[in-house]
Amino acid sequence: MFRKVSALVTASMMLIMSFGAISTAGARTKTREVEALRAPLNIAILIQDDLTSQVGNELGVTRDFIRSLPAGSRVMVGYITAGSLQVRQPFTTDLNRAANSLRLPVASTAASSFNPYVEVIEALKKFDSSWKGPNAVLLVSDGLDISRGFDSSSAGQTLDIDRTIKEAKRRNVAVYSFYAPSVGLTSRSFMAASYGQSSLNRVAHETGGAAFFQGLTGFVTFDSYFNRLRAELNRQYATAS
């Protein structure tokens, strides 16, 4: 049994490495000079409400990112909480209003959704096909889907992950993610954290986005993540142009 679990962890780590080159490439380097976004975009920022309280320390840099977006960008802010999507700010071009709608995560298991991907699908349906510019979701999450139990064989392969990828492709939305542990399993279990990261990587890889994280334990600030997110969004825009 121990060998089987070890093999699963190894396989999951290999999946992370194969899908997540972008995720770890800059983690060991100093923060690069901030790259400005070259064109407006439509972006939904979704935050899982049961993430550890340290995520609250990143509200400032998240607000700065929103306010730095080019004029004409549309932003939605939502929280994934207790099995529902709480939209704090519907899509708006008022960047300051969107930035001010951010709040501290609840950071409690009472807000656990058990599956962030159902709410991601709900958010994807709020994109309008008539809008110009790239479409993106920024998902701040532990990526773990335990809605049907913690099955070691289903990391990155659940029904709702498949549905999320299909819906994102249909609506031409790239999904980006910042990994952060929740107050539940991913803050206590190396295996759960690796499964969550594998899931985030698969969704990002198959929708044209990128997943950002550093290691399986502890917490890393989002400053360098936002710098690399800007670079990836500029790359996507250049490819689409």
Side-chain angles (χ1 to χ4, degrees):
M1 180 65 181
F2 175 78
R3 291 181 179 178
K4 182 177 179 181
V5 172
S6 298
L8 286 168
V9 172
T10 300
S12 181
M13 296 271 309
M14 290 178 68
L15 181 64
I16 290 171
M17 292 173 65
S18 62
F19 282 168
I22 185 67
S23 306
T24 57
R28 295 181 297 274
T29 63
K30 294 181 179 179
T31 301
R32 297 195 298 267
E33 184 178 350
V34 173
E35 178 177 359
L37 283 177
R38 299 169 192 163
L41 78 159
N42 313 304
I43 184 168
I45 298 175
L46 309 178
I47 300 173
Q48 190 173 313
D49 224 356
D50 65 334
L51 298 180
T52 58
S53 59
Q54 289 93 329
V55 173
N57 298 330
E58 306 307 308
L59 292 186
V61 69
T62 306
R63 290 190 181 104
D64 289 345
F65 169 77
I66 293 173
R67 291 178 178 132
S68 73
L69 294 173
S73 295
R74 293 181 179 86
V75 181
M76 184 183 92
V77 174
Y79 286 76
I80 296 171
T81 179
S84 65
L85 176 64
Q86 181 190 92
V87 177
R88 291 274 294 180
Q89 175 57 59
F91 275 108
T92 180
T93 56
D94 186 336
L95 302 181
N96 194 57
R97 183 175 180 178
N100 289 338
S101 71
L102 289 167
R103 63 162 173 77
L104 293 171
V106 173
S108 166
T109 54
S112 295
S113 63
F114 303 106
N115 179 357
Y117 301 104
V118 171
E119 283 70 47
V120 173
I121 294 169
E122 185 177 342
L124 287 168
K125 294 177 181 178
K126 299 183 184 298
F127 284 83
D128 189 325
S129 60
S130 69
W131 292 341
K132 295 182 179 179
N135 300 316
V137 163
L138 172 57
L139 173 62
V140 183
S141 170
D142 69 355
L144 189 64
D145 180 355
I146 57 170
S147 58
R148 294 169 178 83
F150 186 27
D151 182 356
S152 61
S153 66
S154 66
Q157 305 296 327
T158 68
L159 176 62
D160 289 324
I161 289 175
D162 291 342
R163 291 175 59 225
T164 299
I165 293 168
K166 182 178 179 180
E167 187 69 16
K169 286 182 174 180
R170 189 172 77 84
R171 295 179 179 272
N172 195 28
V173 180
V175 179
Y176 298 84
S177 60
F178 292 176
Y179 171 82
S182 71
V183 294
L185 276 174
T186 49
S187 63
R188 304 190 304 268
S189 167
F190 176 92
M191 185 178 294
S194 69
Y195 291 165
Q197 290 182 1
S198 294
S199 299
L200 293 174
N201 263 305
R202 183 186 168 214
V203 173
H205 177 77
E206 296 194 21
T207 62
F212 303 95
F213 55 85
Q214 181 180 3
L216 295 170
T217 59
F219 183 81
V220 180
T221 61
F222 292 161
D223 299 76
S224 64
Y225 292 176
F226 276 117
N227 288 343
R228 285 181 282 152
L229 175 61
R230 290 184 181 94
E232 283 297 304
L233 289 169
N234 281 335
R235 179 191 61 78
Q236 182 193 22
Y237 182 78
T239 300
S241 298

